[in-house]
Amino acid sequence: MGEHMQRIPILKMGNCLLVTIQVDLQDQTALALQDDLSAKIDATGAHGVLIDISALEIVDSFIGRMLANISGIARILGATTVVVGMQPAVAITLVELGLSLDGVRTALNVERGMEMLRSAVGEDDLDAAI
């Protein structure tokens, strides 16, 4: 119990939350991220969530499901999620695992992800962020 669990930082940019996953997610870290993110969406009333996974080189079905879960939770809380920076190998793995990531929007990079959120969330909401 005493071992320190890494928590993934969640940054607020105007009306959006930005999550950069730079570590290979252990199950506990992933579950903590789900909790932290839902609490933060609730607390800030964020309308968009950008998850940058460009540092992730491997995913397993657990991580794939977690991304889908986060997106689903965010949607219920009124926020749109975009996953950005997925490496080709990661995309291939997800497909091979049969994870279609239903309802998870993806974009090539943060810039495109922000554009996608801007159109999904509505210009006015995001102006504060840019």
Side-chain angles (χ1 to χ4, degrees):
M1 287 297 282
E3 76 183 82
H4 177 65
M5 184 182 67
Q6 261 181 309
R7 278 192 123 72
I8 293 165
I10 300 170
L11 305 176
K12 186 172 186 314
M13 285 174 55
N15 215 317
C16 286
L17 299 177
L18 177 62
V19 180
T20 304
I21 298 177
Q22 285 170 324
V23 291
D24 277 329
L25 283 178
Q26 302 305 314
D27 293 3
Q28 284 313 109
T29 314
L31 291 170
L33 175 60
Q34 256 176 232
D35 293 346
D36 291 352
L37 197 55
S38 7
K40 192 102 175 194
I41 292 170
D42 191 42
T44 60
H47 288 179
V49 177
L50 201 65
I51 302 178
D52 182 358
I53 61 167
S54 51
L56 276 191
E57 294 185 2
I58 33 179
V59 289
D60 55 18
S61 56
F62 178 82
I63 302 302
R65 276 198 307 275
M66 190 222 40
L67 288 171
N69 285 352
I70 284 180
S71 184
I73 293 165
R75 194 181 311 119
I76 291 168
L77 294 172
T80 302
T81 303
V82 179
V83 174
V84 301
M86 188 180 296
Q87 295 190 23
V90 168
I92 291 165
T93 306
L94 288 173
V95 170
E96 286 173 348
L97 290 169
L99 292 168
S100 57
L101 293 191
D102 280 341
V104 179
R105 296 165 186 240
T106 56
L108 221 51
N109 53 36
V110 170
E111 202 179 352
R112 290 201 186 168
M114 287 304 282
E115 278 171 23
M116 197 182 275
L117 280 179
R118 218 173 288 144
S119 55
V121 168
E123 299 288 342
D124 312 345
D125 280 342
L126 276 177
D127 285 345
I130 286 127

